[in-house]
């Protein structure tokens, strides 16, 4: 059985994609068979893993709209144990096509497709910056939702709407869905604001915020242009070490043992 996590926040630029690709790469490095599903028409997760699927016909749009079996849409990445169902810009049109389907049908496309991915230990689903039909499909398909939140002014804004959507999905479509955790991203320790935001979010989501906070790191933002996750591109950078720590925290919480320790610097 695989554990499926959806990364959601309808704000763009909060670190969803960066979190997905770095956690996935860390998991694969440690021997967990990991599948990333890119459910965002912006395809940033696909690009960050070095894959352009536009001419292949094997992508999440074909799976969700045309009924392509998911195994035919899985691409191997350059990293052992890390596979990808890539996205393409076409996926933007999927929302319109899916909305023409009956309500129950349109939000269960992804979960039904992913029934064939049980060989993976982890399936990590990246979602677009909206609470539309693609994100709902991603929430229906997962056991846990992980919410990246940027350490900035008004960080909590919009989270009420997100938690409302999560509880609607729980009630109507997916009773197994749990809020697995909130990840604080792009933390800048030089500002008092960042600390205040972390404290505020911890008060708002008691026991739900991961201990590991992801710092702002130039290396993490450079990595996608090389088609590599930050933990591969610059494994000793502060950002990469933080993501490895987050991966360990997540895996440990799921009952796995991870031997990795950050090197003393
Ligand atoms: P989302 O998927 O929520 O839109 P991204 O993961 O794409 O957010 O991140 C938005 C931008 O910020 C990207 O350019 C990314 O490279 C950059 N970024 C993400 N996390 C960090 C970080 N910890 N430090 C510096 N830049 C980051
Ligand atoms: Mg993204």
């Amino acid at each position: 059985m695989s554990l499926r996590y959806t990364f959601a926040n309808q704000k763009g630029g909060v670190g969803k994609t960066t979190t997905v690709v770095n956690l996935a790469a860390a998991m694969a490095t440690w021997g967990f068979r990991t599948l990333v599903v890119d459910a965002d028409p912006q395809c940033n997760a696909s690009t960050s893993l070095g894959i352009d699927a536009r001419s292949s016909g094997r992508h999440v749009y074909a799976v969700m709209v045309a009924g392509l079996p998911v195994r035919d849409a899985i691409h191997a990445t350059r990293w052992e144990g890390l596979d990808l169902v890539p996205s393409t810009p076409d996926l933007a049109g999927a929302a319109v096509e899916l909305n023409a389907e009956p309500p129950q049908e349109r939000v269960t496309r992804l979960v039904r497709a992913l029934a064939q991915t049980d060989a993976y230990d982890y399936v990590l689903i990246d979602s677009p910056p909206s609470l539309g039909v693609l994100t709902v499909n991603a929430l229906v398909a997962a056991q846990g939702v992980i919410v990246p939140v940027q350490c900035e002014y008004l960080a909590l804004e919009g989270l009420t709407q997100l938690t409302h959507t999560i509880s609607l999905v729980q009630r109507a479509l997916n009773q197994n869905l749990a809020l697995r955790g909130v990840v604080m991203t792009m933390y800048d320790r030089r500002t008092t604001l960042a600390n205040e935001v972390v404290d505020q979010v911890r008060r708002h989501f008691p026991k739900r915020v991961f201990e590991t906070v992801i710092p702002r790191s130039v290396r993490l933002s450079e990595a996608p242009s090389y088609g590599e996750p930050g933990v591969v591109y610059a494994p000793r950078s502060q950002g990469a070490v933080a993501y490895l720590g987050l991966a360990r925290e997540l895996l440990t919480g799921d009952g796995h043992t991870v031997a990795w320790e950050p090197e003393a610097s």
Side-chain angles (χ1 to χ4, degrees):
M1 264 305 276
S2 45
L3 251 178
R4 296 201 290 255
Y5 288 131
T6 285
F7 295 72
N9 186 335
Q10 76 274 28
K11 269 195 206 174
V14 297
K16 289 181 291 296
T17 302
T18 306
T19 303
V20 168
V21 299
N22 282 288
L23 287 181
M27 288 167 165
T29 301
W30 295 334
F32 296 91
R33 289 158 302 174
T34 306
L35 178 68
V36 170
V37 177
D38 188 354
D40 181 359
Q42 292 178 42
C43 354
N44 294 336
S46 307
T47 312
S48 302
L49 293 172
I51 291 179
D52 179 346
R54 273 175 299 183
S55 57
S56 72
R58 301 160 52 223
H59 40 60
V60 74
Y61 174 84
V63 171
M64 290 182 73
V65 176
L68 181 74
V70 74
R71 61 174 174 275
D72 295 337
I74 293 174
H75 295 237
T77 68
R78 311 205 292 291
W79 302 284
E80 173 91 41
L82 178 54
D83 291 346
L84 169 74
V85 176
S87 181
T88 48
D90 297 351
L91 189 66
V96 177
E97 292 173 71
L98 291 174
N99 281 327
E101 301 287 332
Q104 185 76 18
E105 167 71 24
R106 77 174 75 127
V107 292
T108 53
R109 285 286 173 97
L110 196 58
V111 68
R112 282 182 284 138
L114 293 182
Q116 296 172 15
T117 58
D118 264 355
Y120 292 94
D121 298 306
Y122 279 95
V123 177
L124 306 187
I125 308 170
D126 193 16
S127 71
S130 82
L131 295 175
V133 69
L134 293 171
T135 298
V136 175
N137 263 275
L139 291 172
V140 172
Q143 289 103 317
V145 51
I146 294 176
V147 180
V149 171
Q150 194 180 339
C151 296
E152 55 154 22
Y153 183 57
L154 297 179
L156 283 168
E157 197 192 38
L159 288 183
T160 312
Q161 225 182 333
L162 177 61
T163 46
H164 180 63
T165 303
I166 293 169
S167 36
L168 284 179
V169 170
Q170 279 166 336
R171 254 179 280 152
L173 297 155
N174 178 9
Q175 283 156 13
N176 296 325
L177 184 66
L179 174 61
R180 180 64 180 81
V182 174
V183 189
M184 302 306 301
T185 65
M186 295 183 236
Y187 173 80
D188 183 347
R189 67 185 157 79
R190 292 165 304 181
T191 69
T192 38
L193 173 70
N195 289 307
E196 282 167 19
V197 170
V198 174
D199 290 344
Q200 190 189 25
V201 174
R202 285 195 196 282
R203 279 196 303 276
H204 195 264
F205 292 100
K207 302 201 178 99
R208 295 291 174 154
V209 181
F210 289 103
E211 297 275 329
T212 313
V213 172
I214 308 301
R216 194 171 272 290
S217 146
V218 175
R219 291 282 180 259
L220 288 177
S221 60
E222 284 171 355
S225 63
Y226 297 91
E228 292 187 353
V231 297
V232 173
Y233 167 70
R236 280 153 207 248
S237 65
Q238 261 192 44
V241 170
Y243 270 118
L244 291 165
L246 179 67
R248 181 178 59 180
E249 189 180 345
L250 181 67
L251 288 161
T252 307
D254 291 342
H256 297 291
T257 309
V258 176
W260 175 84
E261 290 289 340
E263 281 171 34
S265 53

